[in-house]
Every structure is written in structure tokens, then in C-alpha cells.
Amino acid sequence: MGLVLLLDMDYFFAACEELRHPELKQKAFVVGTASTEKKERGVVQTSNYLARSFKIKSAMPVAMAMKLKPDLVYLPSDEKFYEEESSKIVKLLESYHLEMEVMSIDEMALDTGDADYKKAMALAEGIKSRISSEVGLPCTIGISTSKIYAKMVCDAFKPNKIGMVRKEELLGFLADKDVDSISGVGGKTKERMNRIGIYKIPDIAKCPPLVLRENFGRFGPELYKIARGEDESGVEEGAPAISIGRETTMERDTGDMKKISKLVEELAKETIEELKNRNMWYRAVSGKVRYSDFSFRTKTRRLPNYTDSYDAAFGTCVALIEDLLDGKTARKVGIRLSELEPKKGQTTIKF
Ligand SMILES: [Mg+2]
């Protein structure tokens, strides 16, 4: 394994919108999850640079963002367009013939093979300038010895830069980082860590591995390695491709599964239609719920085989959402299909 180069598009959805509506650059705007008519009930997915200067952030309710900036421009999310832009970037990266992992719609990791630091940096500069001139979008690139570190470097250097942390610089780089700057350490794990006195990454390195295993299971030893600069996570080619999905904000918050099923039916139909248009199979289904208190959860189930079945998508998603709701009420539900495969050349179809 060589050095890992991790590329993350800057404020991706908003940048895509600026690309096709350059006049928007002069205005504060957000891309949100709800239709324009129901925007007050939606949540900010991405805000552009100007909106950020008014303290508008992603995951903030649109209603709150409008209070911060009353003439804020609102755009409903157009994931199809963003996915088209994303596939241009993936194509461009493919031309380098390196091992690549598409981690999400706006994040890709490359294994730079036998390149040394100098060559990896030159490679990153080339990629960044090509994405800027050929696609027209800004990005940040992190380079380091593993995928996890490359991601952290990328986060630390955002936006619109290239950052590199060499092996001998890793411990210094990690020294002042909070535990949740490690990808995979979310709110719950962070709370758990804080409870046993772990706040910064070096605190993990000082913690006995046994205690880490007791508290964080299989993730424990991994955390230990990460904190000591010994992580070796690499680029996994063929990892989940870009997913497709739909979501909708409801007229009124509800926990009524009959009403929710009706909506999911609609969403699943549209999603399967798009899947078929793209001539693809899926293997994993996710149900997504945004609760009345705006907190958000998603749950994913992997099916035994690749399929393009509507029934499997609908049935699985409804079951997952019912599970997630567990008596609570939702303001928004969604479906997502992932582990996509092109139909051409697929030979393992059982459905
Ligand atoms: Mg991004």
C-alpha cells in the first residue's frame, strides 16, 4: 500500500448549484431537503460560503437559517444533478489508473502506489487543478500514510487546499485533535470516551488497550493504533458505490406507519425507476428518519443478493423505518439503495 490521497469536494451541493447558477455566488443560499413550498420544514444540507458567514450550517433547520438571514435563497436538493457532477470527478480520477475507493458522492480515496511524498503532492496538485478547470468545482485533498489519516488531514485543511502529513509528523498532527476528529467516532462514542477521561487523541494512546477493548469492542484496538500513528487503513476498491435515494418531508409530523408506508411506496417507486434507468442492481437498503426533534437516524440492511426488486426495497425500508421510529414521530422519512452494481457483466443474480 502506498500513500493515501483523499479528496473531498468543498460544500459540494452548493458548489454544484453555483456552477449552473453563477449569479448565486453573490447571494447567501442553502440547499435543503424539503421542496420549496415546504422549505420551512426542511433541514439545511449545504450552505454556500456567503450563507456560512451568517453562521448558517448544515443540519440546521431551514426555519432557523431564515431567521439568521431573512432573504436567504432556498434551493431544494437536486441529487440527480449532484450525482452527475460526481461521476465526472470519478471519471477524471479513473484516468490516473490508481486504486480508487468512492466513499460517498463527494469523497474519493486514491492509493498513490509507489509515489513518494513529493510525487504524491505533485499528483494532488494535478488532480486539484484538473477538477477546477475541467469540472469547475473546488475541493480539498489530504495526503498521509493511511485512509483515516488522509481524511483527518483533509478535514484539517478545508477548504480549497492540499494538506500533507508525513509519517514522522503524524503524532504531532494528532496531538491537539479531539477524539471525534477520527471518522467513526460519533456523539455516542465521544460521550463514552469522555466518561473515562479520554478527550484528545493522545489520551487514547495512553489508555490501556484492555480498557479500550472493554469499552469500545472491536473498535478499541483500532482506536489504539490510530492514536499511536500506526493505522494502516487502505483504499478499498469496489467499496460501496454512490447510492441513490429519495426522501420527503411530511405535511405533519407522524408516527402512523400506514401514512408513512404510503409515502415510502412513492419514494421506493421513484428510486427503483432511477436504478433501472441507470441499468444497475442494488444490494443494501437504508431507511432514514428525521424525528420531530430534528435528530436523524438511518439503518441499513444488506440483502442476500443483488436485485432491482421494488418489493424488496419497499418492504425492507418500511421495516427499517418502523424499527427506527419505535413509537416516536417523524417529520421526514427516506429510502436509500446502496452497494450498486452495473447490470452489465453481473452474473450472480438470483432474483
Ligand atoms: Mg464534502
Side-chain angles (χ1 to χ4, degrees), residues 136-166:
L137 291 170
C139 68
T140 299
I141 298 179
I143 305 166
S144 196
T145 58
S146 83
K147 191 169 67 181
I148 292 220
Y149 298 137
K151 169 76 184 150
M152 292 171 78
V153 173
C154 186
D155 288 345
F157 278 78
K158 262 188 167 302
N160 206 14
K161 287 199 185 64
I162 300 174
M164 178 158 81
V165 174
R166 294 174 165 81

Side-chain angles (χ1 to χ4, degrees), residues 7-13 104 106-107 151 158:
L7 180 149
D8 187 6
M9 301 307 295
D10 298 332
Y11 56 99
F12 184 54
F13 293 178
S104 73
D106 74 335
E107 207 177 35
K151 169 76 184 150
K158 262 188 167 302

Side-chain angles (χ1 to χ4, degrees), residues 188-194 196 198 207 211-221 223:
K188 262 193 191 151
T189 312
K190 185 184 176 181
E191 252 174 57
R192 277 263 246 359
M193 288 184 172
N194 291 170
I196 57 171
I198 296 175
C207 188
V211 176
L212 289 172
R213 185 177 272 282
E214 263 167 28
N215 281 276
F216 309 105
R218 271 195 325 182
F219 196 25
L223 285 166

